[in-house]
Amino acid sequence: MPAAQRRFDPDRRARIIQATLDVVAEHGVAGTTHRRVAAAADVPLGSMTYHFDSLDALLTEAFTGLADTVSARFADRLAAAATVDAACEAVVDLIVSDIWASPRTMLLSYELYAFAARNPPLRRVMQGWMAKSRAALGQHFAPETARALDAMIEGLTIHRSVDPHPAGRAEVRAIVARLVR
Amino acid sequence: MPAAQRRFDPDRRARIIQATLDVVAEHGVAGTTHRRVAAAADVPLGSMTYHFDSLDALLTEAFTGLADTVSARFADRLAAAATVDAACEAVVDLIVSDIWASPRTMLLSYELYAFAARNPPLRRVMQGWMAKSRAALGQHFAPETARALDAMIEGLTIHRSVDPHPAGRAEVRAIVARLVR
DNA sequence: TAACTATGCGTACATATGTACATATCAAGG
DNA sequence: CCTTGATATGTACATATGTACGCATAGTTA
């Protein structure tokens, strides 16, 4: 057996997880295989089963990390708002900005939702995510408003990713205002 | 070669499409195979490639049918409303009722969103779906309100399918009222 | 009745896939 | 220097998968 190329590679596990999300974004869960992820992470196939018990376990971990990341960014953005007006503007940003709601993130979210529907651990992760979002909104808004805003962010984000003529910033701001009042 | 069991079966094509959605609902697109669908439709494997060019074509057609069905039910429910108040109640129904937003439908929607993101024909189908929904809402509400309601239906439906303690009918009604005003 | 043709089906096959595992390599301690 | 245990890797293998295709069948026509 020929000698290995790279022997010491402490970040390998993390890189595999990162590569997994890349592959899912490009090929969907349906097209995600050990070999494709290995290639994307520039890692031998054997590393896959060494670091992760199964493909399902790998996907579960990758999606969990994704949920944590997105959820943390969401909370940070809202925590940075000092006033209610600023919080509204933050909500508008989360909906309209290509950074928060990038095509890649949306795509991965769809895959995550579908995957989580059949994966109890991930269901709990998503519940935690939703609770955290609601808590972040709850810093600035009443509970019912927070719930409504959370759902509206979800819905508008999705529709904007489909709509060839998505609502502009002004219109989104007006809709948010209706919910906040 | 043994004689076939069933020779005349005019609805076969439709039954395969129906079975495809069943299999997707149970195993996800990732777990949908010719053989599984054939078994679910009680049809020989050979029928798959006879009736459909490829697995991708089958999924595309099945999802297109799903979108048409759901979209038609949505429009029907709204068309049945005679007043704005009735239309609001219809919207609440669409969000809260287990019939419109059944777990199965939600699950299939997630799969559809993920699939459509990589399938241009289905992207167009989804755009059509969204346009139709908005038009149905537009019978009763102003354009901006229709857009907001459409997104809210999407978001609340999704969040209700994740939330262990989803918003009750009264709260949903209150949220809809805020958007309509 | 006999031939014809569209429809339907069983099976074969090349390929891809998840996973196991025997072996190799390295870092550290005795 | 030598041993040891953790880490890493190439490869093998059973199985599943998409798809092609030759042949059977039934309804129709002459």
Side-chain angles (χ1 to χ4, degrees):
Chain A
M1 199 176 307
Q5 215 73 336
R6 175 194 313 108
R7 289 295 307 172
F8 190 62
D9 186 6
D11 312 332
R12 173 162 301 196
R13 223 188 111 90
R15 208 169 62 252
I16 291 174
I17 291 179
Q18 178 59 45
T20 303
L21 293 179
D22 290 343
V23 171
V24 170
E26 187 172 352
H27 298 97
V29 168
T32 299
T33 68
H34 273 147
R35 284 164 175 80
R36 262 211 258 257
V37 174
D42 189 24
V43 145
L45 176 60
S47 272
M48 293 293 125
T49 45
Y50 176 73
H51 285 287
F52 300 92
D53 284 345
S54 70
L55 193 57
D56 193 82
L58 171 59
L59 285 167
T60 301
E61 194 160 336
F63 276 132
T64 301
L66 173 73
D68 290 345
T69 301
V70 175
S71 149
R73 287 194 315 199
F74 184 97
D76 285 351
R77 182 69 188 85
L78 276 174
T83 67
V84 171
D85 282 348
C88 286
E89 208 53 29
V91 168
V92 174
D93 270 354
L94 289 167
I95 294 169
V96 168
S97 160
D98 285 348
I99 301 170
W100 311 105
S102 66
R104 177 192 149 97
T105 303
M106 295 311 298
L107 227 165
L108 287 174
S109 298
Y110 300 151
E111 298 284 351
L112 166 55
Y113 293 164
F115 189 81
R118 286 180 208 82
N119 184 297
L122 262 184
R123 278 190 81 81
R124 284 187 287 279
V125 167
M126 294 202 56
Q127 286 168 8
W129 176 359
M130 208 170 65
K132 195 172 167 186
S133 301
R134 217 125 78 190
L137 288 162
Q139 296 176 308
H140 306 286
F141 306 102
E144 187 181 292
T145 305
R147 202 197 275 259
L149 282 174
D150 199 28
M152 185 56 91
I153 293 169
E154 180 87 49
L156 272 182
T157 305
I158 292 176
H159 283 198
R160 280 177 56 85
S161 82
V162 174
D163 198 336
H165 304 292
R169 188 175 190 94
E171 188 174 354
V172 170
R173 194 180 283 127
I175 291 172
V176 168
R178 285 200 206 185
L179 288 175
V180 172
R181 190 152 25 157
Chain B
M1 196 176 310
Q5 215 72 339
R6 174 195 311 107
R7 288 297 306 171
F8 190 61
D9 185 7
D11 311 332
R12 174 162 301 199
R13 222 187 112 89
R15 209 170 62 252
I16 290 174
I17 290 179
Q18 178 58 46
T20 302
L21 292 179
D22 290 342
V23 170
V24 170
E26 186 172 352
H27 297 97
V29 169
T32 299
T33 67
H34 274 148
R35 280 161 237 268
R36 262 210 259 256
V37 174
D42 189 24
V43 143
L45 177 60
S47 273
M48 292 294 125
T49 46
Y50 177 73
H51 285 288
F52 300 92
D53 284 345
S54 70
L55 193 56
D56 193 81
L58 171 59
L59 285 167
T60 300
E61 195 162 334
F63 276 133
T64 301
L66 173 72
D68 290 345
T69 303
V70 174
S71 150
R73 287 195 315 201
F74 183 97
D76 287 351
R77 182 70 188 81
L78 275 175
T83 67
V84 171
D85 281 349
C88 285
E89 207 54 28
V91 168
V92 174
D93 270 354
L94 289 167
I95 294 169
V96 167
S97 159
D98 285 347
I99 301 171
W100 311 106
S102 66
R104 176 191 149 98
T105 303
M106 295 311 300
L107 226 164
L108 287 175
S109 297
Y110 300 151
E111 298 284 349
L112 166 55
Y113 292 164
F115 189 81
R118 285 180 209 79
N119 184 298
L122 263 184
R123 278 191 81 81
R124 283 188 288 278
V125 167
M126 294 203 57
Q127 286 169 7
W129 177 0
M130 207 171 65
K132 196 172 168 186
S133 300
R134 216 124 79 190
L137 288 163
Q139 297 175 308
H140 306 285
F141 306 103
E144 185 181 295
T145 305
R147 202 198 277 259
L149 282 175
D150 198 27
M152 185 55 91
I153 293 169
E154 180 87 48
L156 272 182
T157 304
I158 292 176
H159 282 200
R160 279 177 55 85
S161 82
V162 173
D163 198 336
H165 304 291
R169 189 175 189 94
E171 189 174 353
V172 171
R173 194 180 283 126
I175 291 173
V176 168
R178 285 200 206 185
L179 288 175
V180 172
R181 194 163 15 162

